[in-house]
Amino acid sequence: MKSIVILISGRGSNLQALLEASLPCRIAAVISNRADAGGLAIAEAHGIATQIVAHRDHPDRDSFDAALASAIDEHQPDLVVLAGFMRILTPGFVERYQGQLINIHPSLLPAYGGLHTHARALQDGVKIHGCSIHFVTGDLDHGPIIIQAAVPVLMDDTPATLAARVLREEHRIFPQAIRWFCDGALSLTADGRVQLSRIEQPGTALINPSLD
Ligand code: GRF
């Protein structure tokens, strides 16, 4: 059975979705860069070992990433999962876990990398927004996309209501991507493409506003 390490920085609702998904893997540890991350209590309640590698204890990104890598490597995981981990990782770190590092991002990449994705989508007046799971590369919030979920943007949405609609889908697609990886159905090829041994494709379009 494969094993994974999950990195968090905050509330941990995606972590919770992963812990409740009965994934076909061993969750070796949850590591946070913040001691006050709400997700730590969620991990502990599920009997998962937690560890804090505080970015504030390190003078620069390189030394933080080195400490983080050595904490991860103690568990020899097959996959490192960024579940709301809010630190920019150095190219060396990303390279070390090439094909073994997966992130969730609250937008339909490659649109809206970075922060405040929901407010920016509302500002632009897009009618469809969503979330993406992708392999991490040196390109912040980009990288080969594994699965995306699209949601409609409603006329009276605020960043909070839109975020909640997207978050519900995050909690569905994130466990799916990790299940594929742990089942051996998903990998990153040497030339940086997603390989997924799954042929079902949807035949429906999401149109917003809907047609008359
Ligand atoms: C999620 O929206 C995730 O997409 C983003 O940060 C948020 C983390 O939420 N990267 P949570 O800690 O999983 O509740």
Side-chain angles (χ1 to χ4, degrees):
M1 183 180 269
K2 291 194 164 120
S3 80
I4 69 175
V5 165
I6 302 176
L7 307 190
I8 61 166
S9 298
R11 125 195 99 168
S13 72
N14 276 291
L15 167 68
Q16 182 160 5
L18 296 177
L19 294 177
E20 290 174 357
S22 309
L23 293 170
C25 61
R26 196 173 76 81
I27 299 177
V30 170
I31 300 175
S32 173
N33 65 308
R34 301 178 58 108
D36 61 354
L40 290 167
I42 295 172
E44 279 153 21
H46 282 79
I48 310 287
T50 61
Q51 198 173 338
I52 293 153
V53 181
H55 62 278
R56 288 185 199 285
D57 291 349
H58 298 274
D60 52 40
R61 282 194 199 282
D62 283 324
S63 63
F64 170 67
D65 280 9
L68 187 59
S70 78
I72 292 168
D73 290 350
E74 273 173 36
H75 303 284
Q76 296 285 306
D78 298 283
L79 181 68
V80 179
V81 175
L82 306 179
F85 185 69
M86 304 302 283
R87 300 298 300 172
I88 294 174
L89 296 163
T90 54
F93 183 96
V94 170
E95 206 157 296
R96 181 191 192 103
Y97 299 104
Q98 171 108 22
Q100 296 181 289
L101 190 56
I102 287 181
N103 184 41
I104 184 162
H105 185 75
S107 77
L108 290 173
L109 291 173
Y112 307 118
L115 298 174
H116 311 302
T117 57
H118 310 303
R120 287 158 60 206
L122 286 175
Q123 179 68 33
D124 285 345
V126 299
K127 300 295 176 243
I128 292 172
H129 185 49
C131 49
S132 307
I133 312 294
H134 66 98
F135 282 106
V136 177
T137 63
D139 218 358
L140 179 66
D141 286 336
H142 291 278
I145 296 167
I146 299 162
I147 183 171
Q148 296 181 305
V151 301
V153 178
L154 304 184
M155 272 181 297
D156 54 356
D157 264 336
T158 63
T161 60
L162 182 54
R165 191 172 311 116
V166 170
L167 191 66
R168 272 197 298 279
E169 303 310 315
E170 295 184 31
H171 296 166
R172 299 173 68 202
I173 64 173
F174 210 7
Q176 175 67 83
I178 293 165
R179 179 171 285 112
W180 283 332
F181 187 93
C182 293
D183 282 342
L186 167 68
S187 61
L188 187 66
T189 63
D191 61 347
R193 284 177 307 105
V194 170
Q195 189 151 342
L196 182 60
S197 61
R198 191 166 173 283
I199 50 166
E200 296 88 349
Q201 313 246 16
T204 50
L206 172 59
I207 299 176
N208 178 39
S210 57
L211 303 176
D212 283 339

